[in-house]
Amino acid sequence: MRRVLVIGGSLGGLIAAHMLRSTGWEAVVFERNEEELASRGVGLGTHPQLIAILKRAGIAFDETMGIKVPKVVCLDRDGKIIVEQPTVRTMSGWARLYRALRDALPAQNYRLGKNLRRVEQDGSGITAHFADGTRERGELLVGADGIRSTVRAQYLPQAQPAYAGYVAWRAVLDEDLVPPEIRHEIFDLYTFCLPEGEQLLAYPVPGRDNDTTIGRRAYNIVWYRPTDVNTLADLCTDAAGRHHAAGIPPPLIRPEVIAGVKAEAKVLVAPQIAEIFARTTPFFQPIYDLESPQLVFGRAVLTGDAAFVARPHVGAGTTKAAIDAASLADSIRDAGGALGAELNRYERMQLPFGAEMVALGRRQGAYLSAQLKPEEERSAEELHRDIDDVLRAHGTRSEQVRAIVNARGLDVHVQAPM
Ligand SMILES: Cc1cc2nc3c(=O)[nH]c(=O)nc-3n(C[C@H](O)[C@H](O)[C@H](O)COP(=O)(O)OP(=O)(O)OC[C@H]3O[C@@H](n4cnc5c(N)ncnc54)[C@H](O)[C@@H]3O)c2cc1C
């Protein structure tokens, strides 16, 4: 059986392994973490393409996989609903998808504690060298190792993430810890708060143990806040004065930073949301754009966030990784000995797709990025945000993703092959 090495054992790597297995390859995933990956309970928006590709992998997206939100609302500073619209989003959680994908993969095909150092190729195959001194050989290697990809760094050192000028503060609270009157009022809704220059959204997600039953769910908050590079450097500095350039681990965020953002929530966002936020231990993720000008390097291929990172406004990072995986599997499905033409086909399809997804995310985050510019340099759109436009963009996200998928002819990869 032909063997593919998948580097990175998060959602993108797992979906790639499932897709390649479904085309008859032996896929082995190598994840650098020593222990099973754990999420901080964060939510994950889904799109129909992700659900269809999971189905291809044999994973049914039933009611235990996510929570349907019926309505999107915008709350003003006093907590009053100022706009409301029906919506059809299903909100899942990183951990829920991870569990389903991980459980469906044989244990021997998922190896923890395998930190890729470098890749070597020759005429007949590709070798992955790991930090523990071991090596593995395959015919193909998939770099699904995220925004700081080691595979990409080896072949494309010039492709670096570009900071978008804002961070996402994220927080999750168990449903039973949400005050009952607030739970009753907003828990089931997709909620926006739009303080000047900022954007906060909140929605229900599966709770601990991925439970979607009422009373055992969780509430997820994402708060986008413009943050200049000096402030970001300070936020990424721990109490011992150490600076974490590639992102500070949440437990090391200084207590006064967390107290500060909670105090600002009380001033800036609706009181219901500020109340929930105050009961959490929030952490932040800087937002980046990343574009790779090339995805195939001989027998090494980039997918998911290793290839392109689109800002999270579209909620489609995992959907994008799944489409990459399905496209790769379909491109090499009937490959004979060499993989050249098949991999070139994958690159031809996924390069423009990734670039368009990044452009979509950039457009949706332009108002937030513009906050760091002097007012006189901002366009009218960057100066004034229309609440209806924000909700309309939310309501049409799946259509925007579908338009890009269809325009690129990628819809065929989403469907199970005949
Ligand atoms: C604020 C925010 C909100 C988001 N919201 C959503 C959403 O609602 N919906 C959605 O679909 N997406 C969302 N995303 C994006 C989503 O998290 C990713 O796009 C998606 O999970 C695909 O990730 P990936 O598997 O390609 O990379 P990652 O999840 O980054 O995984 C990379 C894996 O590779 C491993 N690794 C790295 N280097 C090595 C190495 N050298 N050797 C071995 N292993 C290695 C890492 O440990 C990690 O497990 C959001 C992102 C952010 C920042």
Side-chain angles (χ1 to χ4, degrees):
M1 197 186 280
R2 307 186 78 178
R3 188 166 197 249
V4 51
L5 314 175
V6 179
I7 308 300
S10 176
L11 300 182
L14 280 167
I15 299 174
H18 280 288
M19 285 295 106
L20 290 161
R21 275 165 61 80
S22 74
T23 61
W25 285 69
E26 186 208 357
V28 188
V29 177
F30 299 92
E31 165 56 47
R32 73 174 163 198
N33 278 289
E34 300 281 340
E35 287 170 14
E36 203 63 50
L37 303 188
S39 93
R40 296 172 199 101
V42 289
L44 193 111
T46 66
H47 293 277
Q49 295 82 5
L50 174 63
I51 294 171
I53 290 169
L54 289 173
K55 203 162 150 204
R56 274 188 68 180
I59 293 163
F61 199 92
D62 58 22
E63 66 284 355
T64 68
M65 290 292 267
I67 297 169
K68 282 195 166 47
V69 282
K71 220 194 270 180
V72 53
V73 301
C74 183
L75 299 180
D76 70 7
R77 167 65 200 88
D78 299 324
K80 265 201 327 286
I81 292 181
I82 44 173
V83 188
E84 76 176 74
Q85 286 174 11
T87 189
V88 285
R89 298 289 304 274
T90 299
M91 310 316 295
S92 188
W94 183 93
R96 180 67 190 94
L97 259 61
Y98 174 77
R99 200 66 269 154
L101 289 159
R102 178 81 173 84
D103 288 349
L105 198 66
Q108 69 272 18
N109 292 58
Y110 192 92
R111 315 262 176 89
L112 288 164
K114 292 290 184 186
N115 189 357
L116 180 85
R117 276 287 159 80
R118 68 189 169 85
V119 171
E120 213 170 48
Q121 310 198 29
D122 55 47
S124 61
I126 184 159
T127 306
H129 294 262
F130 296 97
D132 61 4
T134 59
R135 62 181 76 167
E136 293 280 344
R137 190 145 171 93
E139 278 187 58
L140 177 66
L141 180 141
V142 175
D145 49 347
I147 188 167
R148 310 267 168 204
S149 166
T150 303
V151 181
R152 192 187 67 240
Q154 177 170 336
Y155 293 107
L156 276 182
Q158 74 280 17
Q160 293 290 335
Y163 177 53
Y166 54 101
V167 304
W169 277 94
R170 307 194 72 172
V172 182
L173 189 66
D174 290 345
E175 183 169 6
D176 61 357
L177 299 178
V178 176
E181 63 288 358
I182 299 179
R183 181 163 22 147
H184 182 253
E185 195 185 355
I186 60 163
F187 193 92
D188 292 318
L189 309 176
Y190 195 109
T191 299
F192 278 99
C193 294
L194 299 173
E196 185 68 32
E198 309 195 358
Q199 179 172 324
L200 180 149
L201 43 112
Y203 49 84
V205 293
R208 282 173 201 275
D209 300 325
N210 298 320
D211 210 332
T212 52
T213 49
I214 292 174
R216 304 173 70 86
R217 301 169 297 176
Y219 197 67
N220 178 75
I221 297 173
V222 185
W223 184 9
Y224 298 110
R225 310 203 70 196
T227 302
D228 64 40
V229 285
N230 293 332
T231 309
L232 179 63
D234 176 58
L235 294 183
C236 290
T237 302
D238 66 23
R242 224 168 331 125
H243 177 240
H244 301 261
I248 184 167
L252 296 185
I253 300 174
R254 301 193 314 275
E256 74 267 23
V257 168
I258 291 182
V261 72
K262 287 184 178 180
E264 286 175 312
K266 287 214 158 76
V267 178
L268 293 171
V269 306
Q272 302 96 312
I273 300 287
E275 184 60 45
I276 296 175
F277 194 71
R279 293 167 189 237
T280 67
T281 306
F283 65 98
F284 66 89
Q285 292 171 283
I287 302 302
Y288 295 100
D289 298 307
L290 172 87
E291 295 187 72
S292 296
Q294 192 181 337
L295 300 180
V296 175
F297 311 88
R299 294 174 180 273
V301 177
L302 299 176
T303 67
D305 279 9
F308 287 91
V309 175
R311 300 184 193 184
H313 306 290
V314 194
T318 310
T319 301
K320 180 173 73 59
I323 292 170
D324 285 349
S327 170
L328 176 63
D330 288 347
S331 295
I332 64 172
R333 169 179 303 277
D334 300 318
L339 290 167
E342 290 81 3
L343 294 180
N344 288 341
R345 175 163 168 258
Y346 165 78
E347 184 174 75
R348 249 192 346 266
M349 305 292 280
Q350 300 315 113
L351 265 184
F353 168 63
E356 283 177 39
M357 293 294 285
V358 172
L360 179 60
R362 211 178 257 141
R363 282 197 297 278
Q364 300 210 348
Y367 172 80
L368 294 161
S369 289
Q371 300 306 312
L372 298 181
K373 292 193 216 167
E375 285 211 3
E376 60 278 12
E377 287 178 22
R378 294 186 216 165
S379 67
E381 275 175 358
E382 290 172 347
L383 278 170
H384 304 289
R385 173 181 48 188
D386 182 331
I387 296 178
D388 290 322
D389 281 350
V390 174
L391 267 66
R392 206 170 305 116
H394 164 85
T396 56
R397 275 191 187 134
S398 282
E399 277 116 84
Q400 293 169 314
V401 173
R402 186 178 315 121
I404 295 176
V405 167
N406 288 350
R408 293 278 147 221
L410 290 165
D411 42 335
V412 292
H413 299 298
V414 172
Q415 311 306 326
M418 304 306 280

